[in-house]
C-alpha cells in the first residue's frame, strides 16, 4: 500500500512538475535562509560553550552611577578566592590594544591584541599552548603566539624549545622569549594574538587600579544572587580599608555577568549583536512560516484535480485517515526534496553570508546539532505545510465530487485573502525599507563630508612626535619624495574614533568640548575648508606654542560672533584663536560634528603618533614604494616596517554596519516578494479555476478578452493596494526611526513608497494575467459541455 | 437485501422545501437486477446515492442487509463499501495516475487482501474482461468502453454482493453499451450479484428483471420484466 501511494505521489508530482518545482523551490529557498539563520544563531550563542564549566563562569564587573565596566582592581580576585568557598577558581586578565611589532630574521608580525593572563585564568578558559603549559615560576612571564605568527617568525622550527624574538624596532634592541605556539579559539570570548601568562597579575596594585578583568568559577548549585551580594559587601569593606576616605568609589557596586552572556549581551557593552540575532531569527522564522503556508495554498490550489481520486478511493473503501496519510506522504516527499535543495542553496550563499556578518561558518562542522535538528525541522514543516491540505483533500464528500461538476469550495477564502495581503504587506515594508536605506547610503556616499580622505595614507608608528620641532625633520624628509603633497601628524585620525574631551573656557563661559592635537598641514592634508582666519603656519612662531583653531560647532557652542583673536582657556593653557574651520564629519553621519578645538600643543592630550601623508593620485604606487624603501632613514625610531592604510578605506568602515543592514534588507525584500508572488501564482490559479465556467458564460455573452482580464485582476489589484495601505505607515514609522539614528540624513522621501506600490502592482498584474490567459484563451464550449 | 421506508429528500431554501424524493418505499431482494428510470431531475441519481450511502436522506428508514444504516458512522459505512458494495460510474472515474492493474488492485489493498490472493484475483479479472494486454496502460490511453470495463472490473475485485451503477453506458456508443449490459446480465445471472442501475434507455432497462419508474421524486411504477 505504501509503495503504491509513493508511486502515485511521484507520478502526481511529475505530472504537475511546474507547480511541484515552484513548491519545492520556494520552500527550499526559505528553508535555506532558515538554516543559515540557525547555524548563525548556534554560532553566536555558542561562544565558549565547549568549556565544560560554561555555566559556572562569571565575569566580575563594577557598576557606577552611569557606567558599567568590567575593569576591576587586581586584589579583588584574591579576596574573593580567600573569602568564599563556593568560588572554585578566580582568574585575572589584562589586554593591551596597541600594535607591537615582533621580528626575527625570518619575518615580522604585528600583534594587535595582546593579552596578559594569570595561570588560573588560562586554566579556567582551557587555553592550552601546543606543547603544554608549565606553571610559570615566580615572577617570570611566558609569551605564547598563535600558530600562524610562529610560522612566520620561525618557518623552519621543528623542536619545541623557546626562541628569542625582537620587540618593537631593531634600533631599540629589545628582545623577548617566546615559549611556543598556542591555539586561539575564534569561538571564545577570550581573544588575543599574543599571550603573556604569569603566575599572578597586578601584584602590588591596590583597589585604585581598575585595569583588570576578573573571572570567577563557582561550584555547582551556587546561589549567584547571594554571592553577588556577598562579593559586593566584601568589595565595599576592602575599599574602605584601602582607599580610606576616597568616596569616589563609595557608590560603586559589584555585579556578576555570566559567561554565556558575554558575547551577545554583556552588561558592560552593547547588546547590538543580540538584537541583530533576534531580528534575523524572527525574519528567518517568518520567511519559513510564510513559505510553508504558501506551500499549503499551492497544494490546495490543485485540489480540484485530486478531488475525484479522493471520492473514488472513498467508495472503494479507503478511510479518511488513510487518504490524509497519503497526502502527507506526498508533502513529505516534497519537503525532503526541499530540504536537500536548501542545503545546497545554503552552501552556495554561505560565503556571501560569512563575509557579510564577518563570521566563518560552515554548515556541517560548526554545528553538529544540525544533524538532529534537520529531521525535526523536516517533520515540522511537513506538518505545518501538510496538515491543512491533507484535512481539506481527505474531507471531500464522494457524492459531491463524483457528480462531475465539482468545483473547489470557497472555504477558507478569507484566510487566503488575508494571507496574501499579509505577505504583500511584508514585501512592501521590505522594499520600501530597502529603497530608503539605499537613498540614505547614497546620500552618505555623495554628500560632502567636509574633508577628503582620498589619496591620504595613514602610517602606523610608535615613535612620539608631540613637539612639532621633533616632527619637522621627518616631514622634510618625507616631502622630498616625489608625489608627496603634504604630511602631518596627529593623535587621532578621522576614522570615526571618538576624540578626548576637556573643559575649555572663553570669556568665563565654560564648555566641555572635544580636542584634537594636530601638526602643521593637518587641514591641508585633509583638504578641510577654512571659514575665517588662517590655518596653522610655521611662519608664526606662536602657533607651536599657544594658537588654537576652532570648528564652526565650537564657535556656535560658545556663541562667538567674532572669535578671531579671542582667548580660549583649557588644560592650564591660554590659547589664542587664530582660525575657524568648517565642520567636517570625522565621525561619519550618525553623530553630529562635535565642537572641537585644534591645537599644536596640548599637555592633556595623548602623544601624536599617527602620520598622515597626502599623495598625488598618479604617483601613488611609486611614492608608496619610495616611502617603504626610505622609511628607516626617515623615521629611525620606528623605521623597520612601513605599515600604512588608506584613510578612505578606514573611513569607509563607518558605513559597514549600514551596508550590512542594506544587504539583509535586500535579501529579505527579494525573498518576501518572491514568496508572495508564488502565493499569488497559486491563488490566481485557484481563483481562475473556480471561475472557468463564469468566464465561459461571459465570453458567450460577448465579453472581450481584455474585459475578462480586468475582471480577474480587479480583486487582486484591490488586495495589493490594501497591502500597500497597510504597510506604508509601518514602513514610515520604522524607517523614520532608523533615519533618526543619523545626525545627517535625508528627508523622508515619497518616491520609495510609490515605487514599492508600482513594483507590487505590476508584479501582481503580470502574475495574475499569466494565469488568467489560460482561462481566457480556453474555448467556452470546453468549459460548458460537461453534464 | 435493501429495505427503504418513506424515504424523503428535500433541500430547504428560504423556508421553502424543494423535494427531490418523496415517500419512496421499496425493497430489493438479493439477486435482483433493478433499473431506475425516469426523466431528468426526477431524483434517480439521488435515490441511487442514498442507496449507496453517498448521500443521506432527510427522512425515512433504510435497512441494508438487516442493519439500519440511516445513521452510520463513516468507518462502518466504509466497511460496507469494502465488503459489500461496488460502484460503477457514468464517467468511469478511474484514477488517472494509476495503471489499469493498479486501479483494479486499489480496493483489494484497502480490504487488506494478501499479496498472492490479490494477484490471482486481478489476473482472473483481467483475463475475464480480456484486458490483460492493457494492464500497464493508464486510463487516458484507453477507449471509453475499455475504461468502463476496467471500472466494472474494479467494482468486482472486492467481490461485492451489490453493484450500484449510475448510467454506466451514458458515455458509450451503442455497441459498447450493449457489451456492458450483457456483462451485467451475466454477472447477475451467473454469480447472483445484485445490481441496481440508473438508466435513461428503455433498452438497457430490459436487461434487468425489474424497473422502478420515478417522476418528480415519487415512484410511479414498479414493474417486473422478462
Amino acid at each position: 500500500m505504501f509503495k503504491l501511494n509513493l508511486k502515485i505521489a511521484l507520478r502526481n508530482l511529475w505530472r504537475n512538475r511546474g507547480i511541484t518545482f515552484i513548491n519545492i523551490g520556494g520552500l527550499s529557498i526559505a528553508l535555506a535562509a532558515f538554516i543559515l539563520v540557525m547555524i548563525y544563531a548556534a554560532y553566536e550563542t555558542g561562544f565558549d560553550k565547549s568549556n565544560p564549566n560554561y555555566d559556572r563562569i562569571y565575569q566580575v564587573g563594577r557598576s557606577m552611577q552611569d557606567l558599567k565596566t568590567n575593569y576591576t582592581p587586581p586584589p579583588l580576585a584574591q579576596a574573593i578566592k580567600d573569602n568564599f568557598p563556593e568560588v572554585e577558581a578566580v582568574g585575572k586578565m589584562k589586554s593591551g590594544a596597541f600594535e607591537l611589532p615582533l621580528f626575527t630574521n625570518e619575518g615580522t608580525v604585528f600583534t594587535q591584541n595582546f593579552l596578559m593572563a594569570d595561570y588560573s585564568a588560562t586554566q579556567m578558559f582551557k587555553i592550552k599552548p601546543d606543547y603544554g603549559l608549565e606553571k610559570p615560576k615566580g615572577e617570570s612571564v611566558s609569551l605564547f603566539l598563535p600558530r600562524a605568527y610562529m610560522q612566520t617568525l620561525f618557518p623552519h622550527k621543528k623542536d619545541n624549545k623557546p626562541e628569542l624574538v625582537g620587540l618593537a624596532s631593531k634600533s631599540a634592541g629589545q628582545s623577548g622569549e617566546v615559549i611556543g605556539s598556542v591555539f586561539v579559539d575564534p569561538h571564545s570570548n577570550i581573544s588575543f594574538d599574543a599571550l603573556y601568562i604569569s603566575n599572578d597579575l597586578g601584584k602590588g596594585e591596590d583597589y585604585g587600579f581598575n585595569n583588570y578583568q576578573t573571572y570567577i568559577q563557582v561550584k555547582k548549585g551556587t546561589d549567584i544572587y547571594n554571592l553577588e551580594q556577598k562579593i559586593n559587601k566584601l568589595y565595599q569593606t576592602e575599599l574602605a580599608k584601602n582607599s580610606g576616605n576616597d568616596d569616589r568609589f563609595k557608590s560603586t557596586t559589584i555585579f556578576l555577568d555570566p559567561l554565556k552572556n558575554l558575547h551577545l549581551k554583556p552588561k558592560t557593552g552593547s547588546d547590538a549583536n543580540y538584537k541583530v540575532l533576534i531580528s534575523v531569527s524572527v525574519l528567518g522564522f517568518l520567511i519559513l512560516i510564510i513559505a510553508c503556508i504558501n506551500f499549503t495554498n499551492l497544494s490546495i490550489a490543485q485540489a480540484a484535480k485530486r478531488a475525484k481520486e479522493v471520492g473514488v478511493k472513498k467508495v472503494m473503501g479507503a478511510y479518511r485517515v488513510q487518504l490524509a496519510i497519503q497526502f502527507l506522504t506526498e508533502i513529505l516527499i516534497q519537503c525532503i526534496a526541499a530540504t536537500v535543495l536548501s542545503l545546497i542553496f545554503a552552501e552556495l550563499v554561505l560565503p556571501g553570508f560569512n563575509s557579510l556578518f564577518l563570521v566563518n561558518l560552515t554548515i556541517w562542522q560548526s554545528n553538529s546539532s544540525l544533524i538532529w535538528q534537520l529531521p525535526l525541522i523536516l517533520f515540522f514543516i511537513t506538518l505545518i505545510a501538510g496538515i491543512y491540505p491533507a484535512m481539506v483533500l481527505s474531507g471531500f464528500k464522494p457524492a459531491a465530487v463524483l457528480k462531475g461538476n465539482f468545483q473547489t469550495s470557497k472555504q477558507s477564502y478569507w484566510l487566503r485573502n488575508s494571507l496574501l495581503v499579509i505577505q504583500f504587506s511584508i514585501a512592501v515594508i521590505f522594499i520600501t525599507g530597502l529603497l530608503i536605506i539605499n537613498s540614505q547610503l547614497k546620500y552618505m556616499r555623495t554628500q560632502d563630508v567636509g574633508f577628503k580622505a582620498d589619496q591620504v595614507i595613514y602610517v602606523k608608528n610608535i615613535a612620539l612626535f608631540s613637539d612639532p620641532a621633533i616632527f619637522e625633520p621627518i616631514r622634510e624628509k618625507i616631502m622630498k619624495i616625489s608625489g608627496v603633497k603634504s604630511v602631518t601628524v596627529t593623535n587621532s585620525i578621522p576614522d570615526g574614533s571618538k576624540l578626548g574631551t576637556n573643559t575649555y573656557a572663553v570669556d568665563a563661559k565654560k564648555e566641555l568640548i572635544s580636542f584634537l592635537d594636530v601638526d602643521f598641514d593637518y587641514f591641508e592634508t585633509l583638504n578641510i575648508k577654512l571659514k575665517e582666519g588662517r590655518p596653522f603656519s610655521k611662519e608664526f612662531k606662536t602657533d607651536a606654542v599657544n594658537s588654537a583653531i576652532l570648528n564652526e560647532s565650537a564657535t556656535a557652542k560658545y556663541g562667538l560672533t567674532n572669535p578671531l583673536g579671542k582667548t580660549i582657556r583649557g588644560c592650564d593653557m591660554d590659547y589664542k584663536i587664530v582660525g575657524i574651520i568648517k565642520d567636517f564629519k570625522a565621525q561619519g553621519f550618525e553623530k553630529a560634528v562635535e565642537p572641537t578645538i585644534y591645537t599644536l600643543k596640548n599637555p592633556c592630550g595623548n602623544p601624536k603618533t599617527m602620520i598622515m601623508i597626502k599623495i598625488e593620485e598618479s604617483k601613488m604606487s611609486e611614492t608608496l614604494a619610495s616611502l617603504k624603501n626610505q622609511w628607516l632613514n626617515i623615521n629611525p625610531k620606528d623605521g623597520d616596517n612601513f605599515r600604512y592604510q588608506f584613510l578612505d578605506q578606514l573611513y569607509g568602515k563607518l558605513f559597514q554596519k549600514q551596508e550590512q543592514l542594506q544587504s539583509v534588507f535586500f535579501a529579505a525584500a527579494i525573498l518576501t516578494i518572491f514568496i508572495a508572488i508564488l502565493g499569488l501564482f497559486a491563488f490566481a490559479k485557484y481563483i481562475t479555476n473556480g471561475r472557468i465556467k463564469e468566464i465561459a458564460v461571459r465570453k458567450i455573452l460577448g465579453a472581450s478578452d481584455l474585459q475578462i482580464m480586468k475582471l480577474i485582476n480587479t480583486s487582486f489589484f484591490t488586495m495589493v493596494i490594501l497591502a500597500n495601505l497597510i504597510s506604508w505607515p509601518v514602513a514610515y514609522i520604522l524607517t523614520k526611526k532608523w533615519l533618526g539614528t543619523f545626525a545627517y540624513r535625508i528627508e523622508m522621501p515619497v518616491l520609495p513608497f510609490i515605487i514599492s506600490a508600482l513594483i507590487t502592482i505590476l508584479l501582481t498584474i503580470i502574475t495574475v494575467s499569466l494565469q488568467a490567459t489560460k482561462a481566457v484563451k480556453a474555448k467556452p464550449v470546453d468549459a460548458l459541455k460537461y453534464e | 437485501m435493501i429495505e427503504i421506508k418513506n424515504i424523503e429528500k428535500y433541500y430547504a431554501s428560504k423556508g421553502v422545501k424543494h423535494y427531490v424524493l418523496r415517500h419512496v418505499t421499496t425493497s430489493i431482494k438479493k439477486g435482483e437486477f433493478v433499473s431506475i428510470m425516469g426523466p431528468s431531475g426526477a431524483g434517480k441519481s439521488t435515490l441511487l446515492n442514498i442507496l449507496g450511502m453517498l448521500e443521506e436522506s432527510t427522512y425515512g428508514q433504510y435497512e441494508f442487509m438487516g442493519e439500519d444504516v440511516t445513521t452510520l458512522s463513516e468507518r462502518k459505512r466504509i466497511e460496507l463499501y469494502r465488503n459489500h458494495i461496488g460502484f460503477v460510474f457514468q464517467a468511469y472515474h478511474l484514477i488517472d495516475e494509476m495503471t489499469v492493474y493498479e486501479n483494479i488492485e486499489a480496493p483489494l489493498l484497502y480490504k487488506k487482501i494478501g499479496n498472492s490472493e490479490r494477484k490471482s484475483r486481478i489476473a482472473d479479472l483481467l483475463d475475464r474482461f480480456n484486458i490483460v494486454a492493457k494492464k500497464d496502460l493508464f486510463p487516458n490511453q484507453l477507449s471509453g468502453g475499455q475504461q468502463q470495463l476496467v471500472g466494472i472490473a474494479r467494482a468486482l475485485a472486492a467481490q461485492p454482493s451489490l453493484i450500484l451503477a449510475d448510467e454506466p453506458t451514458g458515455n458509450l456508443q451503442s455497441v459498447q453499451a450493449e457489451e456492458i449490459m450483457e456483462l451485467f446480465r451475466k454477472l447477475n445471472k451467473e454469480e447472483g450479484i445484485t445490481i441496481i442501475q440508473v438508466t435513461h434507455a428503455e433498452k438497457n432497462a430490459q436487461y434487468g428483471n425489474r424497473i422502478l419508474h420515478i417522476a418528480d421524486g415519487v415512484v410511479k411504477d414498479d414493474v417486473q420484466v422478462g
Side-chain angles (χ1 to χ4, degrees), chain A residues 215-263:
Chain A
Y215 296 92
I216 62 170
Q217 181 180 318
V218 300
K219 285 187 179 145
K220 269 185 192 137
T222 302
D223 179 351
I224 286 304
Y225 178 74
N226 190 359
L227 180 65
E228 195 175 67
Q229 300 299 314
K230 287 198 291 192
I231 293 178
N232 192 31
K233 212 167 168 189
L234 172 76
Y235 177 68
Q236 301 294 345
T237 37
E238 291 281 313
L239 258 190
K241 245 192 286 174
N242 284 274
S243 48
N245 51 10
D246 186 350
D247 45 44
R248 267 192 303 164
F249 303 117
K250 284 278 164 65
S251 58
T252 307
T253 54
I254 293 291
F255 62 86
L256 297 177
D257 204 2
L259 178 61
K260 61 169 177 259
N261 285 353
L262 288 189
H263 175 66

Side-chain angles (χ1 to χ4, degrees), chain A residues 433-497:
Chain A
L434 177 68
L435 292 171
I436 290 174
I437 292 173
N438 278 346
S439 338
Q440 171 70 13
L441 283 182
K442 193 178 163 202
Y443 166 82
M444 283 158 62
R445 287 198 194 95
T446 53
Q447 185 71 7
D448 182 18
V449 293
F451 72 101
K452 283 211 166 59
D454 321 357
Q455 281 87 49
V456 176
I457 59 165
Y458 150 53
V459 182
K460 294 182 184 179
N461 159 58
I462 54 175
L464 310 181
F465 297 120
S466 288
D467 185 348
I470 298 177
F471 188 63
E472 195 49 35
I474 291 175
R475 181 204 314 276
E476 277 167 19
K477 281 188 241 173
I478 296 174
M479 288 300 287
K480 277 189 191 136
I481 293 170
S482 105
V484 173
K485 282 169 136 177
S486 64
V487 183
T488 190
V489 67
T490 174
N491 61 2
S492 179
I493 55 169
D495 63 348
S497 25

Side-chain angles (χ1 to χ4, degrees), chain B residues 23-207:
Chain B
H23 305 300
V24 179
T25 303
T26 189
S27 76
I28 294 164
K29 285 183 222 44
K30 198 168 167 10
E32 274 191 299
F33 185 166
V34 184
S35 303
I36 303 173
M37 290 193 72
S40 289
K44 312 183 293 286
S45 290
T46 307
L47 180 58
L48 194 78
N49 280 344
I50 288 173
L51 292 176
M53 290 163 259
L54 294 174
E55 278 180 63
E56 276 174 26
S57 59
T58 19
Y59 180 81
Q61 283 173 314
Y62 176 14
E63 275 182 22
F64 183 81
M65 298 176 75
E67 192 181 359
D68 183 5
V69 294
T70 32
T71 52
L72 207 58
S73 74
E74 170 153 336
R75 255 194 133 66
K76 273 272 170 62
R77 202 174 69 231
I78 284 170
E79 288 297 332
L80 286 181
Y81 292 159
R82 284 186 184 178
N83 297 316
H84 298 293
I85 306 176
F87 287 89
V88 176
F89 303 97
Q90 176 178 8
Y92 331 128
H93 286 329
L94 299 177
I95 296 175
D96 299 329
E97 288 76 25
M98 292 187 186
T99 61
V100 166
Y101 187 94
E102 287 161 353
N103 262 295
I104 300 172
E105 188 183 26
L108 299 177
L109 289 170
Y110 290 122
K111 215 177 160 179
K112 298 203 172 62
I113 304 282
N115 191 21
S116 55
E117 165 80 5
R118 217 162 60 219
K119 274 189 182 151
S120 75
R121 274 205 212 176
I122 298 165
D124 183 45
L125 283 167
L126 289 170
D127 197 34
R128 221 164 100 194
F129 290 176
N130 227 349
I131 45 176
V132 181
K134 309 263 190 300
K135 73 179 169 61
D136 291 324
L137 298 182
F138 287 93
N140 56 13
Q141 296 168 303
L142 302 176
S143 74
Q146 286 165 338
Q147 285 190 52
Q148 192 58 297
L149 277 180
V150 177
I152 295 168
R154 182 180 66 182
L156 289 174
Q159 298 178 338
S161 43
L162 170 68
I163 282 184
L164 297 173
D166 192 352
E167 302 215 29
T169 60
N171 286 9
L172 298 181
Q173 290 162 1
S174 55
V175 184
Q176 292 172 320
E178 270 172 39
E179 273 177 44
I180 299 291
M181 290 325 295
E182 269 309 327
L183 182 62
F184 272 3
R185 175 146 68 187
K186 216 169 126 199
L187 289 171
N188 176 251
K189 287 254 160 65
E190 292 175 9
E191 301 185 27
I193 297 174
T194 316
I195 295 174
I196 306 174
Q197 71 164 347
V198 165
T199 183
H200 262 107
E202 185 69 36
K203 196 174 145 205
N204 290 342
Q206 296 305 324
Y207 285 89

Side-chain angles (χ1 to χ4, degrees), chain A residues 258-540:
Chain A
L259 178 61
K260 61 169 177 259
N261 285 353
L262 288 189
H263 175 66
L264 282 177
K265 38 175 185 176
K267 286 178 182 159
T268 56
S270 109
D271 59 349
N273 276 340
Y274 184 68
K275 282 184 186 151
V276 168
L277 178 66
I278 292 292
S279 39
V280 168
S281 305
V282 168
L283 200 70
F285 201 68
L286 256 182
I287 288 177
L288 185 64
I289 291 288
I290 291 178
C292 281
I293 299 175
N294 236 339
F295 189 98
T296 304
N297 266 353
L298 283 159
S299 304
I300 299 180
Q302 304 188 78
K305 282 188 189 161
R306 309 299 298 275
K308 188 181 87 180
E309 181 186 333
V310 172
V312 172
K313 282 191 169 169
K314 277 193 171 175
V315 299
M316 287 191 314
Y319 293 134
R320 181 171 181 180
V321 60
Q322 286 175 312
L323 294 171
I325 289 172
Q326 184 201 330
F327 289 118
L328 277 176
T329 311
E330 274 178 39
I331 286 161
L332 177 68
I333 291 172
Q334 298 181 67
C335 288
I336 290 174
T339 309
V340 173
L341 247 149
S342 72
L343 286 172
I344 296 171
F345 284 148
E347 195 71 70
L348 287 178
V349 296
L350 197 59
F353 185 87
N354 278 341
S355 68
L356 178 63
F357 284 96
L358 305 173
V359 288
N360 188 21
L361 303 179
T362 51
I363 289 184
W364 294 111
Q365 284 97 28
S366 75
N367 180 17
S368 54
S369 49
L370 199 65
I371 290 164
W372 63 265
Q373 282 169 343
L374 216 53
L376 212 66
I377 296 171
L378 185 65
F379 175 74
F380 275 111
I381 56 172
T382 306
L383 272 192
I384 298 172
I387 275 291
Y388 189 66
M391 295 311 283
V392 170
L393 288 174
S394 66
F396 286 142
K397 292 258 173 291
V401 295
L402 294 178
K403 265 178 190 162
N405 56 352
F406 175 72
Q407 309 255 312
T408 34
S409 63
K410 288 276 180 285
Q411 56 178 310
S412 68
Y413 182 79
W414 271 106
L415 181 79
R416 295 140 150 282
N417 271 353
S418 355
L419 184 81
L420 202 70
V421 171
I422 291 170
Q423 284 178 335
F424 269 89
S425 305
I426 296 174
V428 169
I429 290 172
F430 281 120
I431 295 172
T432 318
L434 177 68
L435 292 171
I436 290 174
I437 292 173
N438 278 346
S439 338
Q440 171 70 13
L441 283 182
K442 193 178 163 202
Y443 166 82
M444 283 158 62
R445 287 198 194 95
T446 53
Q447 185 71 7
D448 182 18
V449 293
F451 72 101
K452 283 211 166 59
D454 321 357
Q455 281 87 49
V456 176
I457 59 165
Y458 150 53
V459 182
K460 294 182 184 179
N461 159 58
I462 54 175
L464 310 181
F465 297 120
S466 288
D467 185 348
I470 298 177
F471 188 63
E472 195 49 35
I474 291 175
R475 181 204 314 276
E476 277 167 19
K477 281 188 241 173
I478 296 174
M479 288 300 287
K480 277 189 191 136
I481 293 170
S482 105
V484 173
K485 282 169 136 177
S486 64
V487 183
T488 190
V489 67
T490 174
N491 61 2
S492 179
I493 55 169
D495 63 348
S497 25
K498 205 165 159 43
L499 301 178
T501 54
N502 206 343
T503 311
Y504 288 84
V506 181
D507 298 340
K509 188 175 183 189
K510 282 188 180 174
E511 294 286 356
L512 190 71
I513 61 171
S514 302
F515 60 82
L516 179 68
D517 308 339
V518 299
D519 205 284
F520 295 112
D521 287 345
Y522 177 84
F523 302 110
E524 290 80 353
T525 304
L526 293 177
N527 202 3
I528 293 163
K529 303 245 167 18
L530 202 67
K531 196 181 165 205
E532 47 185 314
R534 59 174 180 83
F536 294 123
S537 162
K538 282 166 243 170
E539 286 163 27
F540 295 86

